[in-house]
Amino acid sequence: MKRLIVLALCCAVTLSGCWSVGGTYNYPSSFGTYVANSGVNAFCLAPGLRLAIYRFETFFGRKVVLSSGYRDPFHNAAVGGVDNSFHTKCMAADLFIPGVDKRRLVAFAMREPLVGGLGCYPGKQFIHIDVRARPRGWNKPVTFSGC
């Protein structure tokens, strides 16, 4: 019985990237997720990351657009990503929601228990989220790069 429940939950989380929350944009789609350009890879987003993205979409009533998803090690190095990046583990995304101020996204991410890491970049419209485990005793995500 437990296996059936776990399987059903995994399927629901995986398919959540395909459910429509609202908003249609003039962006390409990759594996059920809007992406800023055709070079963004949304193929292997971890179930917890897909669920976190869905929670952003549900809260704001609009679809998320990824400006970065999975990166192979070569692409990660080419864009200046850190070694051992969560992007290379399918556990991170850089995202924005058209029409939603970045500060509102940051405020939501700070309250969202699934977000383990949060990055903000001055002059950029997107934020970075990842689903790393939070350090023991932390009730907010690990923040870096200007958050």
Side-chain angles (χ1 to χ4, degrees):
M1 184 63 173
K2 285 183 182 179
R3 286 184 184 181
L4 184 57
I5 292 170
V6 170
L7 179 62
L9 182 59
C10 288
C11 288
V13 169
T14 301
L15 292 174
S16 70
C18 301
W19 295 334
S20 179
V21 171
T24 55
Y25 308 129
N26 194 19
Y27 290 101
S29 180
S30 175
F31 298 96
T33 304
Y34 283 112
V35 293
N37 61 66
S38 60
V40 177
N41 187 339
F43 171 68
C44 75
L45 301 182
L49 182 58
R50 283 211 182 265
L51 183 56
I53 290 168
Y54 178 71
R55 290 174 75 152
F56 273 83
E57 292 174 335
T58 302
F59 182 82
F60 290 103
R62 298 178 182 190
K63 296 290 278 180
V64 159
V65 178
L66 298 187
S67 54
S68 184
Y70 169 73
R71 299 178 192 155
D72 65 53
F74 300 106
H75 177 69
N76 190 59
V79 298
V82 298
D83 290 340
N84 210 22
S85 167
F86 284 94
H87 284 281
T88 64
K89 301 173 186 177
C90 304
M91 295 173 61
D94 297 341
L95 60 86
F96 64 96
I97 299 176
V100 176
D101 187 83
K102 182 169 82 170
R103 291 173 293 193
R104 291 185 63 210
L105 296 176
V106 169
F108 179 77
M110 292 295 259
R111 296 186 312 269
E112 174 52 54
L114 293 173
V115 175
L118 173 63
C120 308
Y121 306 94
K124 303 290 185 182
Q125 66 177 342
F126 63 85
I127 64 170
H128 166 95
I129 66 167
D130 62 59
V131 291
R132 72 179 79 187
R134 291 180 180 177
R136 178 181 226 134
W138 286 47
N139 61 357
K140 292 185 178 180
V142 174
T143 57
F144 55 95
S145 296
C147 287

